[in-house]
């Protein structure tokens, strides 16, 4: 039941993401229930690839949480319906976040520059690490956290100026930008009340516990960049790979830059309607899908 609920929420988000990214495909998602112990991951991935084959191309999929690019390459040897072997979607997700960050900074502070701004990054997986890489040189302060202590130690070694905090403390840091890059639903009534930031922008999917959480953030005068809008770079890159035999990184980046334009539209509509950005984004996505 938990997996089914998770996959339906994620697939809806992917549909909205594809719509607002201007892609000509619907969105979908696969969730694998991993056994607690005594299992062979390769066999599990082969079984998943066989399920994907049964859908005969109606479902195209790739890497995400706990699935690496190497594992996608492995599954592609069992199924042709996998993407993300020629492009690195993580890199392009981070690129989309970077473009979106500039739009948010310009909106809130009047300048798109990262120079002198402070950040808190929740989750040091593929997206979180790549985001730190992009902002580290210019940021005034970066707070980081993750439940994986080995990952925390590695990030601290690579980026010695970051400040490590406990997972429950990440919300309370006085920063300009809070970046949720871990698992879903990290923003709820309790955690949002602790925030001391001006902007929320991150790579995690389904950051809000529910729609009303976006309303609470709005009332607190914190700008929320809708997750499925700003983290669409990875999806854009794998769709490009699926549609083209030859990869043009320049063309992918041009498409990803459009995320910023979409975000500006959401900001404008939010101001006019005096509604939270998450509701505006949902309305825009549903309009595209319904048309």
């Amino acid at each position: 039941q938990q997996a089914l609920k998770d996959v339906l929420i994620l697939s809806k988000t992917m549909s909205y993401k594809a719509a607002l990214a201007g892609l000509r495909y619907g969105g979908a998602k696969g969730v694998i229930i991993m056994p607690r112990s005594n299992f062979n991951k390769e066999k599990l991935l082969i079984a998943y690839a066989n399920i994907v084959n049964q859908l005969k191309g109606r479902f195209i999929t790739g890497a995400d949480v706990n699935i690496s690019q190497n594992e996608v390459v492995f599954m592609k040897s069992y199924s042709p319906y996998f993407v993300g072997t020629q492009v690195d979607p993580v890199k392009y997700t981070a690129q989309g976040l970077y473009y979106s960050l500039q739009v948010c900074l310009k909106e809130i502070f009047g300048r798109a520059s990262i120079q002198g701004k402070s950040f808190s990054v929740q989750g040091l997986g593929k997206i979180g690490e790549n985001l730190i890489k992009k902002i580290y040189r210019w940021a005034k302060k970066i707070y980081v956290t993750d439940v994986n202590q080995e990952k925390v130690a590695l990030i601290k070694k690579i980026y010695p100026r970051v400040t490590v905090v406990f997972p429950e403390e990440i919300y309370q840091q006085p920063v300009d930008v809070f970046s949720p890059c871990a698992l879903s639903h990290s923003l709820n009534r309790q955690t949002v009340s602790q925030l001391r930031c001006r902007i929320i922008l991150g790579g995690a999917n389904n950051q809000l516990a529910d729609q009303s959480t976006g309303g609470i953030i709005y009332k607190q005068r914190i700008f929320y960049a809708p997750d499925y809008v700003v983290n669409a770079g990875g999806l854009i890159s794998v769709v490009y790979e699926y549609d083209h035999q030859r990869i043009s990184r320049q063309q992918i980046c041009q498409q990803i830059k459009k995320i910023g334009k979409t975000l500006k539209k959401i900001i404008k509509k939010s101001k006019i309607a005096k509604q939270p950005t998450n509701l505006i984004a949902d309305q825009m996505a549903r309009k595209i899908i319904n048309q």
Side-chain angles (χ1 to χ4, degrees):
Q1 288 300 313
Q2 285 177 328
L4 182 60
K5 183 180 178 183
D6 200 30
V7 80
L8 289 173
I9 292 170
L10 284 165
S11 59
K12 179 181 176 182
T13 302
M14 291 299 289
S15 300
Y16 283 15
K17 186 184 295 192
L20 285 183
L23 304 174
R24 63 193 185 93
Y25 301 102
K29 205 69 166 179
V31 168
I32 300 172
I33 306 175
M34 197 161 67
R36 289 185 183 275
S37 60
N38 299 325
F39 74 96
N40 181 311
K41 192 171 185 182
E42 281 196 359
K43 287 184 178 179
L44 195 66
L45 296 178
I46 292 168
Y48 179 63
N50 288 332
I51 292 290
V52 171
N53 281 334
Q54 289 177 25
L55 295 168
K56 298 177 181 176
R58 292 193 296 274
F59 177 48
I60 311 296
T61 189
D64 208 316
V65 178
N66 285 328
I67 297 291
S68 69
Q69 191 174 26
N70 287 338
E71 287 168 336
V72 172
V73 172
F74 172 75
M75 287 187 283
K76 188 150 188 171
S77 64
Y78 291 89
S79 169
Y81 308 120
F82 282 81
V83 284
T85 58
Q86 297 177 62
V87 299
D88 180 3
V90 173
K91 185 179 86 171
Y92 291 112
T93 299
Q95 191 65 44
L97 290 176
Y98 183 74
Y99 291 145
S100 302
L101 175 60
Q102 291 177 313
V103 171
C104 294
L105 291 172
K106 182 81 189 304
E107 174 64 24
I108 302 303
F109 299 106
R111 289 177 67 239
S113 174
I114 294 167
Q115 189 85 41
K117 294 294 181 282
S118 53
F119 297 81
S120 53
V121 180
Q122 179 189 46
L124 302 175
K126 295 175 281 190
I127 304 300
E129 183 178 357
N130 269 267
L131 183 61
I132 291 169
K133 185 179 179 181
K134 287 192 172 293
I135 64 174
Y136 185 73
R137 183 178 170 186
W138 296 280
K140 178 182 176 182
K141 187 92 176 173
I142 304 175
Y143 297 93
V144 302
T145 196
D146 199 289
V147 293
N148 184 336
Q149 291 307 304
E150 287 181 14
K151 190 69 184 180
V152 170
L154 179 63
I155 292 294
K156 182 67 177 173
K157 187 177 179 181
I158 300 170
Y159 306 101
R161 285 194 296 108
V162 303
T163 300
V164 177
V165 299
F166 290 113
E168 64 273 15
E169 295 173 345
I170 196 69
Y171 302 99
Q172 301 149 21
Q173 305 311 315
V175 293
D176 297 306
V177 182
F178 171 66
S179 187
C181 295
L183 294 175
S184 56
H185 302 148
S186 67
L187 295 171
N188 54 51
R189 287 174 183 272
Q190 184 184 354
T191 58
V192 165
S193 66
Q194 301 174 50
L195 290 174
R196 299 170 66 191
C197 63
R198 297 289 305 281
I199 296 166
I200 300 171
L201 177 143
N205 282 319
N206 297 328
Q207 294 163 18
L208 304 179
D210 51 45
Q211 274 199 335
S212 66
T213 308
I216 297 168
I217 293 168
Y218 181 73
K219 286 176 183 174
Q220 289 181 203
R221 301 198 172 193
I222 298 171
F223 178 78
Y224 174 67
D227 49 20
Y228 60 79
V229 176
V230 299
N231 69 16
L235 178 62
I236 289 168
S237 71
V238 294
V239 167
Y240 188 92
E241 177 186 296
Y242 183 67
D243 282 340
H244 298 84
Q245 287 186 326
R246 290 186 179 181
I247 302 299
S248 167
R249 281 158 182 78
Q250 187 178 3
Q251 286 185 15
I252 293 172
C253 284
Q254 286 301 318
Q255 287 186 31
I256 291 171
K257 279 184 180 177
K258 293 176 184 176
I259 291 173
K261 291 180 181 178
T262 303
L263 188 55
K264 285 177 184 176
K265 284 182 186 176
I266 291 167
I267 291 169
K268 188 177 179 181
K269 287 176 181 285
S270 173
K271 284 179 176 177
I272 293 168
K274 295 183 179 178
Q275 286 187 324
T277 51
N278 63 302
L279 293 183
I280 297 296
D282 286 359
Q283 289 165 14
M284 287 171 62
R286 281 196 294 269
K287 186 177 179 181
I288 292 166
I289 291 166
N290 289 335
Q291 284 174 344

